[in-house]
Amino acid sequence: MSRSGPDGATQEPTGAGRPRAGRRRGVSMADVARLAGVSAQTVSRVSTGHPGVVDSTREQVLAAMRQLGYRPNSAARALKYGEFRTIGVILFTLSSTGNSRTLEAIATHAADAGYVITLIPVGAPTQDRLLGAFTRLGELAVDAVIVIMEVHLLDAATVAVPPGVHVVVVDSDAGDRYRVVDTDQADGARQAVHHLLDLGHRTVWHVAGPRESFAAQRRALAWRTMLQERGRPTPQVRRGDWSAESGYRAGLDLAGDPDCTAVFVANDQMALGVLRALHDRGRSVPRDVSVVGFDDIADAGAFIPPLTTVHQDFAEVGRRCVEAVLRQVRTGVPETGTTLVSTRLVVRESTAPPPGG
Amino acid sequence: MSRSGPDGATQEPTGAGRPRAGRRRGVSMADVARLAGVSAQTVSRVSTGHPGVVDSTREQVLAAMRQLGYRPNSAARALKYGEFRTIGVILFTLSSTGNSRTLEAIATHAADAGYVITLIPVGAPTQDRLLGAFTRLGELAVDAVIVIMEVHLLDAATVAVPPGVHVVVVDSDAGDRYRVVDTDQADGARQAVHHLLDLGHRTVWHVAGPRESFAAQRRALAWRTMLQERGRPTPQVRRGDWSAESGYRAGLDLAGDPDCTAVFVANDQMALGVLRALHDRGRSVPRDVSVVGFDDIADAGAFIPPLTTVHQDFAEVGRRCVEAVLRQVRTGVPETGTTLVSTRLVVRESTAPPPGG
DNA sequence: TACCTCGATGTTTACGCAAACATCGAGTGT
DNA sequence: ACACTCGATGTTTGCGTAAACATCGAGGTA
């Protein structure tokens, strides 16, 4: 059998009126040009808004476009221009509020600049998967990439970034290799600790995020540094995995320590768990123990009691990411260095002076 | 400081040597072909994995590809094939857990099928914005669209879907026009009410979501229907906007009604607010009042007390969306009808028999 | 009037890829 | 030995667009 078609069956004659699944070969400039009685180039000029087309002609062309339902083929444009007007976003998970909201801001601001976002999900945070994502990236139609993740892993992947594709990273210490945009974790943590010490607490306990997280590292470091600067003892760190469940375990542990009157928890979800643990152990918040979180998630104000926490401006992080990445695309010059977005402490009802303080 | 990369320092001699912002005119098949000493078509065959290339030749080509860092230009491929292998996702917001997780599942499953996701954010849920999104869609390089939203608005936008672009909708009643994939809201609500009645509560109060939401409508309808079927009184509905804050207000209201011993809240965030309101008013959960939520967000188990709630399988919703949309792309035949994803009740500690029951 | 300018529009070409078709040469059958 | 087959590879072509260049005609200038 002459294997002319993929399945050896009779190949359809493309001219016949079969609906051709998938192929939607739409209206092209040539079709519009024919109807309007002009050349395809004139249609192109109208379509791109170039000057040098007389009004009457322009009107004719626009009418023809409307009549045929013409829409420019972005693949052809991309081919011609050598750019896709697309930004890839590599991320591990959307389950964290921060990632979702950053992504949303990125998408919005990219859209404003005429760019669209392509999502490149990386199943699990392993080197393999990440390299796979970067490899796939090579075949993807993107002009630039924003990476949202914990970035020890980025090292090995460095080589894999296709040449000419610009990179911005969120939540990383890769500022020596890429442009990094991040919340000012250290300052946020300092505000939290400062607030608790100012209320009169002798020192502040800490429930940290996972060891691999740079955000967690920096929050913990700032907490420790601040206590040392003020000459306060630094209690042993409890460590969670960002989940409320892990916060609950840490909270049970802390509840057993009568000295503990103030806790800085590295995120709101774990803080929720801490609150429940303290509640379960009969320790009143804020009367017996004060708790400060980090993130200011939407629900923080509805916790029992409403949580004092460090507000992160994810929208601003997203905005800066897009700004930086498009700047690189425009100039063609890769950037390095870190851009910090400031935080602010939102004081609610989970903090108070220490008992008898 | 030399880092010899594209820093403005020694640029690779790409013709004139100017860094050409944006243009990254990479390695093409022709370049690979030249180096490997074969024709471009042979490179193409290797690149697409077509048979009919002898091993030695293939090796040569692959070596040349590696050496030059070749990666296929997806714009050219898209132009040639007439398809983009891209699915657009239109959504209003990622701030709801459900949307984020559905999106994540969509992205993952699309990736498995060799498709990528393009995000089309719609700022505000207004007809104008939505029409704008659909219009932009026309210029976008997508083969199909998944719409995640409340869909009264979809009516007007119907006409705007470009021909040949297939559509799947989440959370809608547009099943007569599009394929709709959704959680089985009604069944979830029935399970919640059933559970509370079985515990011995005389009837069940309801805190509903916003009037415009189809999910909210269906949950409320199922709640009402179930009570009527069982011959129970149907208390007046309290209505919130999905936020914990609105749940708190509804909760304060309910706390004032001593008859109220069981509440079905239309989502977990509002349930969080209800819990806090009951706590603030000194009504113990579940001793005095039982509360059931909807969604089973990650934190639900850490509420005070841990929340009994209806678990939604967002991952499955996303999977079914991709499945349906790709089926339409493959066959070229648009589908209608509704696909329901089942729910299950997760019983935790916020429900118990009524006081004195 | 002859010549030039300049604006409006048309024609050619290339972007990178892969289907369709062409070629070439080594084996196969008679 | 000759035609013939078939697999491996090369050549041509076109996808839709827009830059670069070509043309054409109206109006201005000497």
Side-chain angles (χ1 to χ4, degrees):
Chain A
M1 275 294 108
S2 69
R3 36 182 309 284
S4 64
D7 27 348
T10 46
Q11 191 73 356
E12 71 219 7
T14 322
R18 203 86 64 83
R20 300 273 288 169
R23 287 289 163 95
R24 78 186 138 90
R25 287 279 171 258
V27 182
S28 77
M29 287 201 324
D31 302 319
V32 177
R34 204 169 307 121
L35 177 60
V38 300
S39 73
Q41 182 57 31
T42 299
V43 177
S44 169
R45 280 189 265 258
V46 172
S47 170
T48 53
H50 276 215
V53 179
V54 111
D55 281 354
S56 61
T57 310
R58 178 186 310 279
E59 274 316 313
Q60 258 177 337
V61 171
L62 288 174
M65 282 180 173
R66 270 192 299 272
Q67 185 178 334
L68 295 174
Y70 167 76
R71 52 204 190 96
N73 178 316
S74 54
R77 281 199 169 158
L79 179 59
K80 190 86 181 92
Y81 288 135
E83 59 177 30
F84 304 99
R85 301 194 74 79
T86 295
I87 300 170
V89 177
I90 295 185
L91 38 61
F92 285 130
T93 174
L94 279 171
S95 61
S96 97
T97 322
N99 286 1
S100 303
R101 286 178 40 204
T102 304
L103 175 64
E104 182 163 30
I106 288 172
T108 305
H109 286 104
D112 290 348
Y115 277 71
V116 299
I117 293 303
T118 285
L119 237 46
I120 308 165
V122 182
T126 67
Q127 290 257 359
D128 272 8
R129 296 299 211 104
L130 185 58
L131 274 171
F134 271 87
T135 306
R136 227 178 313 142
L137 186 64
E139 294 156 22
L140 249 43
V142 300
D143 303 308
V145 179
I146 297 173
V147 181
I148 305 181
M149 60 170 179
E150 322 288 339
V151 205
H152 311 68
L153 300 167
L154 209 55
D155 288 343
T158 303
V159 292
V161 179
V165 172
H166 298 282
V167 180
V168 167
V169 177
V170 180
D171 185 14
S172 158
D173 70 347
D176 55 330
R177 279 163 295 151
Y178 304 110
R179 163 63 53 188
V180 170
V181 176
D182 200 0
T183 293
D184 192 342
Q185 313 284 355
D187 187 61
R190 274 193 299 267
Q191 289 183 55
V193 174
H194 191 92
H195 171 66
L196 289 168
L197 293 182
D198 275 10
L199 284 169
H201 294 273
R202 185 170 143 269
T203 189
V204 176
W205 274 248
H206 183 47
V207 178
R211 209 176 292 274
E212 322 82 64
S213 160
F214 280 106
Q217 281 177 21
R218 272 188 304 257
R219 290 170 200 175
L221 179 63
W223 159 80
R224 183 183 309 276
T225 305
M226 179 117 201
L227 290 183
Q228 284 169 351
E229 278 173 7
R230 300 281 200 103
R232 309 302 175 94
T234 55
Q236 163 143 28
V237 169
R238 269 70 175 177
R239 199 171 287 281
D241 61 7
W242 295 135
S243 75
E245 173 60 26
S246 69
Y248 183 71
R249 284 192 300 270
L252 288 180
D253 187 16
L254 290 172
D257 182 345
D259 289 341
C260 172
T261 64
V263 188
F264 166 46
V265 188
N267 79 337
D268 288 352
Q269 284 192 59
M270 292 197 296
L272 177 64
V274 169
L275 289 180
R276 186 163 80 88
L278 294 171
H279 174 268
D280 284 4
R281 284 292 181 268
R283 309 264 287 164
S284 163
V285 176
R287 211 188 54 231
D288 302 327
V289 183
S290 288
V291 176
V292 177
F294 206 112
D295 282 353
D296 194 23
I297 63 176
D299 295 338
F303 289 1
I304 303 176
L307 185 70
T308 294
T309 187
V310 178
H311 179 87
Q312 289 205 63
D313 192 346
F314 296 111
E316 179 67 10
V317 171
R319 198 180 67 73
R320 299 270 187 101
C321 282
V322 172
E323 207 174 86
V325 89
L326 290 186
R327 192 169 51 230
Q328 293 184 55
V329 166
R330 255 195 311 278
T331 63
V333 182
E335 298 180 359
T336 58
T338 299
T339 303
L340 289 182
V341 174
S342 58
T343 59
R344 70 170 198 278
L345 187 74
V346 178
V347 178
R348 297 202 178 90
E349 300 166 31
S350 65
T351 48
Chain B
M1 260 281 112
S2 71
R3 47 189 303 287
S4 94
D7 241 336
T10 47
Q11 187 74 2
E12 69 222 40
T14 314
R18 200 87 64 82
R20 299 274 287 168
R23 287 290 162 92
R24 76 187 140 89
R25 288 276 170 262
V27 182
S28 78
M29 286 199 328
D31 302 319
V32 176
R34 205 169 307 121
L35 177 59
V38 299
S39 74
Q41 182 55 31
T42 299
V43 177
S44 167
R45 280 190 266 257
V46 172
S47 171
T48 52
H50 277 214
V53 180
V54 110
D55 280 354
S56 61
T57 311
R58 178 185 310 278
E59 275 316 313
Q60 259 178 335
V61 171
L62 288 175
M65 282 179 172
R66 271 192 300 273
Q67 185 177 334
L68 296 175
Y70 169 76
R71 58 205 188 95
N73 179 314
S74 55
R77 278 198 174 159
L79 180 58
K80 188 92 180 91
Y81 287 137
E83 61 176 28
F84 304 98
R85 299 194 75 77
T86 295
I87 300 170
V89 177
I90 295 185
L91 38 63
F92 285 130
T93 174
L94 279 171
S95 60
S96 97
T97 321
N99 286 1
S100 302
R101 287 179 39 204
T102 304
L103 176 62
E104 182 163 28
I106 288 172
T108 305
H109 287 103
D112 290 347
Y115 278 71
V116 299
I117 293 303
T118 285
L119 237 47
I120 307 166
V122 182
T126 67
Q127 290 257 359
D128 273 9
R129 297 297 211 103
L130 185 58
L131 274 172
F134 271 88
T135 307
R136 226 178 315 142
L137 187 63
E139 294 156 20
L140 249 43
V142 301
D143 303 309
V145 179
I146 296 173
V147 181
I148 305 181
M149 61 173 178
E150 321 288 338
V151 207
H152 311 69
L153 300 166
L154 207 56
D155 288 343
T158 303
V159 292
V161 180
V165 174
H166 298 281
V167 180
V168 166
V169 176
V170 180
D171 186 16
S172 158
D173 69 348
D176 54 331
R177 279 163 295 151
Y178 304 109
R179 164 63 53 184
V180 170
V181 176
D182 200 0
T183 293
D184 191 341
Q185 314 283 356
D187 186 61
R190 275 193 298 267
Q191 288 183 55
V193 175
H194 191 92
H195 170 66
L196 290 167
L197 294 182
D198 275 9
L199 284 170
H201 294 273
R202 185 170 141 267
T203 189
V204 177
W205 275 248
H206 183 47
V207 178
R211 207 177 294 273
E212 320 84 63
S213 160
F214 279 106
Q217 281 177 21
R218 272 187 304 254
R219 290 170 201 176
L221 179 62
W223 159 81
R224 183 183 309 276
T225 305
M226 179 117 200
L227 290 183
Q228 286 169 350
E229 279 173 6
R230 300 280 200 103
R232 311 299 175 94
T234 54
Q236 163 143 28
V237 168
R238 269 70 174 178
R239 200 170 287 278
D241 59 9
W242 294 136
S243 74
E245 173 59 26
S246 69
Y248 183 72
R249 284 192 302 269
L252 288 181
D253 187 16
L254 289 172
D257 182 344
D259 289 343
C260 172
T261 64
V263 188
F264 166 46
V265 188
N267 79 336
D268 288 352
Q269 283 191 59
M270 292 196 297
L272 177 64
V274 169
L275 290 180
R276 186 162 79 88
L278 293 171
H279 174 268
D280 284 4
R281 284 291 181 270
R283 307 263 287 165
S284 163
V285 176
R287 211 187 53 230
D288 302 328
V289 183
S290 287
V291 176
V292 177
F294 205 111
D295 282 352
D296 195 23
I297 63 176
D299 295 339
F303 288 0
I304 303 175
L307 185 70
T308 295
T309 187
V310 178
H311 179 88
Q312 287 205 65
D313 192 346
F314 296 111
E316 179 68 10
V317 171
R319 197 181 69 73
R320 299 271 187 101
C321 282
V322 172
E323 206 174 88
V325 89
L326 290 186
R327 192 170 51 231
Q328 292 184 57
V329 167
R330 254 194 312 277
T331 63
V333 182
E335 298 180 357
T336 57
T338 300
T339 303
L340 288 182
V341 174
S342 58
T343 60
R344 70 170 197 279
L345 187 73
V346 178
V347 178
R348 297 203 179 90
E349 301 166 30
S350 65
T351 48

